[in-house]
């Protein structure tokens, strides 16, 4: 693939804890329903999967937030649930509802049938990566992503979102062998899937462990982190002569920060319950951090947003040997006013240079 040289590498350099002039910013779910232009493309595509499976549409919505805001990274438009869909579980997104699987994995027989899928079924994702790189033309780097083996297993077993994770945790306690087999298959698939995204042009990758935080201490390490670690260990870390940084984000994982930081990732995503200064001390700046503004702070009006942005940057403090990528502590709400994002991005640019020596 021949592509334009990267014009803005502040995001990649921050993940590797190299000096940069300001704190780079992107937002989890930056392409999404809070943007009217996203909703317009989505209705042309007919459905969420229609959007995600068409590389032209996927590229269009990936670039939409970059047209509005001076963000420092683009994230592939797709979903963590494309992986179990390729395993044959039958994913659908009904309008106004969350994801659903027609064939959840609940019994010993269901688990026995499960296998690493042919990655050709996810060709549409790799095609989207290539097309987005072409359209970005070196403006900012492109992030690829996948769910963690445990987080993806939550949806595979529950068949949809859950309030109490009764089915998957029930399996964990009753038949840990079955859950370990699902996680093993997910880890192998996820490693291949992320490597194929890197091969197609992803310049950094992020693993979303959105639900690892629902596990008891001890079980998180065994059933979530261990498998995330296997994925990280299997990744290609270089492409186009540059390191491909890996970000691991466990929502609700603050108490396990030391072990998450030791999983082999370059950067750790944090939710808003964690103090960034304390986080840096706990791991002596051995990884970069990404986060961690409460997404609901975007409903506080411009003055409050700017003050909260400064509070996050002040908490991290002078960047020195560390690395900070500004982000939310979880995905942006679909009800967020687009002007709120403008205030956030502007304030990071205005206020963060004082924390950078160069
Ligand atoms: O960040 C981005 O802009 C890239 C795209 C992206 C989406 N999903 C698009 C999407 C990413 C990185 C994801 C990750 C994802 N998907 C996670 C991990 C991150 C997190 O939020 O914890 C999870 C748990 C999912 C599963 C998922 N997909 C759910 C629970 C839902 C429905 C709930 C919701 O927020 O609407 C989705 C659908 C989805 N994925 C939408 C988008 C923009 C909205 C659906 C629509 O347009 O109809």
């Amino acid at each position: 693939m021949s592509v334009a040289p990267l014009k803005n590498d502040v995001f990649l350099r921050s993940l590797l804890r190299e000096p940069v002039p300001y704190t780079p910013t992107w937002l989890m779910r930056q392409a999404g329903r809070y943007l009217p232009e996203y909703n317009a493309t989505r209705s042309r595509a007919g459905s969420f999967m229609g959007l995600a499976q068409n590389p032209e549409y996927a590229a269009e919505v990936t670039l939409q937030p970059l047209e509005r805001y001076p963000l420092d990274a683009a994230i592939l438009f797709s979903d963590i649930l494309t992986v179990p869909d390729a395993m044959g579980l039958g994913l659908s997104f009904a309008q106004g509802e969350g994801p659903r699987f027609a064939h959840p994995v609940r019994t010993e027989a269901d688990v026995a049938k499960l296998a690493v899928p042919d990655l050709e079924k996810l060709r549409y994702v790799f095609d989207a990566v290539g097309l987005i790189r072409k359209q970005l033309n070196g403006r900012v780097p492109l992030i690829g992503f996948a769910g963690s083996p445990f987080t993806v297993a939550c949806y595979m077993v529950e068949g949809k979102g859950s309030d109490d994770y009764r089915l998957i945790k029930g399996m964990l306690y009753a038949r840990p062998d079955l859950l370990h087999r699902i996680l093993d298959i997910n880890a192998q698939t996820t490693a291949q899937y992320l490597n194929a995204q890197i091969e197609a042009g992803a310049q950094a990758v992020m693993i979303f462990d959105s639900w690892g935080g629902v596990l008891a201490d001890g079980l998180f390490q065994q059933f979530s982190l261990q498998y995330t670690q296997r994925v990280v260990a299997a990744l290609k870390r270089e492409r186009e002569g540059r390191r491909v940084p890996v970000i691991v984000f466990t929502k609700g994982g603050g108490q396990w920060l030391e072990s998450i930081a030791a999983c082999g990732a370059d950067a750790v995503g944090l939710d808003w319950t964690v103090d960034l200064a304390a986080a840096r001390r706990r791991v002596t700046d051995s990884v970069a951090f990404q986060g961690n503004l409460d997404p609901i702070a975007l409903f506080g009006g411009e003055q409050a947003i700017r003050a909260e942005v400064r509070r996050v940057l002040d908490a991290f403090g002078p960047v020195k040997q560390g690395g900070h990528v500004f982000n939310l502590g979880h995905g942006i709400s679909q009800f967020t006013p687009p002007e709120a994002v403008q205030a956030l991005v502007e304030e990071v640019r205005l206020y963060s240079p004082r924390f950078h020596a160069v």
Side-chain angles (χ1 to χ4, degrees):
M1 183 177 63
S2 82
V3 284
L6 190 55
K7 293 167 201 136
N8 173 353
D9 63 358
V10 176
F11 167 72
L12 293 180
R13 292 173 63 84
S14 293
L15 292 174
L16 300 175
R17 290 173 288 125
E18 293 172 6
V20 288
Y22 64 91
T23 304
T25 307
W26 72 277
L27 303 179
M28 290 190 268
R29 295 278 182 98
Q30 65 190 20
R33 287 165 297 180
Y34 74 104
L35 291 177
E37 57 271 33
Y38 169 85
N39 293 320
T41 310
R42 190 191 187 283
S43 44
R44 269 194 285 136
S47 67
F48 177 81
M49 287 308 275
L51 193 54
Q53 293 184 331
N54 177 315
E56 276 80 28
Y57 284 143
E60 183 179 316
V61 296
T62 298
L63 268 63
Q64 283 170 348
L66 301 165
E67 303 299 335
R68 275 190 187 244
Y69 316 112
L71 296 160
D72 297 287
I75 182 161
L76 162 70
F77 187 83
S78 187
D79 199 83
I80 64 167
L81 302 179
T82 56
V83 168
D85 186 54
M87 292 174 177
L89 272 60
L91 175 63
S92 62
F93 288 89
Q95 185 88 48
E97 281 178 56
R100 272 187 201 263
F101 284 108
H103 314 289
V105 180
R106 297 199 179 137
T107 65
E108 182 148 17
D110 295 336
V111 175
K113 275 188 287 184
L114 208 61
V116 175
D118 179 358
L119 282 206
E120 275 309 305
K121 296 206 172 101
L122 293 162
R123 170 64 43 204
Y124 62 90
V125 176
F126 316 131
D127 289 346
V129 169
L131 187 60
I132 296 162
R133 279 296 303 275
K134 215 187 277 169
Q135 294 186 3
L136 275 172
N137 196 29
R139 247 160 89 183
V140 292
L142 175 63
I143 308 166
F145 71 91
S148 74
F150 176 76
T151 290
V152 171
C154 286
Y155 291 94
M156 292 165 70
V157 175
E158 300 286 340
K160 55 185 174 138
S162 173
D163 294 331
D164 58 6
Y165 298 90
R166 195 155 33 90
L167 299 175
I168 187 164
K169 288 167 86 173
M171 182 187 278
L172 183 158
Y173 292 113
R175 289 294 305 273
D177 58 311
L178 294 185
L179 185 53
H180 277 303
R181 183 169 150 77
I182 299 174
L183 294 169
D184 180 50
I185 291 167
N186 284 0
Q188 291 180 52
T189 309
T190 304
Q192 289 183 22
Y193 180 54
L194 286 175
N195 277 334
Q197 290 183 33
I198 292 168
E199 197 60 52
Q203 291 151 294
V205 293
M206 175 151 166
I207 300 173
F208 287 89
D209 188 21
S210 306
W211 310 124
V214 306
L215 290 171
D217 183 45
L219 298 179
F220 165 73
Q221 291 86 334
Q222 245 183 289
F223 288 89
S224 183
L225 187 58
Q226 183 197 170
Y227 290 94
T228 297
Q229 203 159 353
R230 285 195 206 174
V231 175
V232 174
L235 295 180
K236 283 183 213 140
R237 302 291 274 266
E238 221 190 274
R239 164 108 185 118
E240 300 166 54
R242 281 187 93 121
R243 185 168 171 90
V244 178
V246 177
I247 309 162
V248 169
F249 168 60
T250 298
K251 177 149 184 293
Q255 66 155 326
W256 303 301
L257 183 56
E258 291 83 354
S259 28
I260 297 168
C263 83
D266 300 277
V268 172
L270 296 172
D271 68 35
W272 59 93
T273 63
V274 178
D275 172 51
L276 290 175
R280 290 183 73 177
R281 284 195 297 274
R282 284 167 64 189
V283 305
T284 55
D285 276 333
S286 59
V287 289
F289 286 114
Q290 177 173 279
N292 66 348
L293 188 84
D294 180 353
I296 304 306
L298 292 170
F299 294 87
E302 181 171 349
Q303 291 321 307
I305 294 165
R306 290 181 185 269
E308 288 303 306
V309 166
R310 293 195 297 270
R311 211 153 68 87
V312 169
L313 292 166
D314 284 334
F316 195 92
V319 172
K320 292 184 187 155
Q321 265 61 258
H324 186 204
V325 171
F326 198 95
N327 205 313
L328 303 174
H330 200 194
I332 190 166
S333 157
Q334 66 177 111
F335 306 109
T336 306
E339 325 74 83
V341 175
Q342 186 63 43
L344 178 158
V345 177
E346 250 176 50
E347 192 62 27
V348 180
R349 281 292 180 97
L350 274 172
Y351 192 71
S352 68
R354 72 193 65 199
F355 296 113
H356 298 268
V358 291

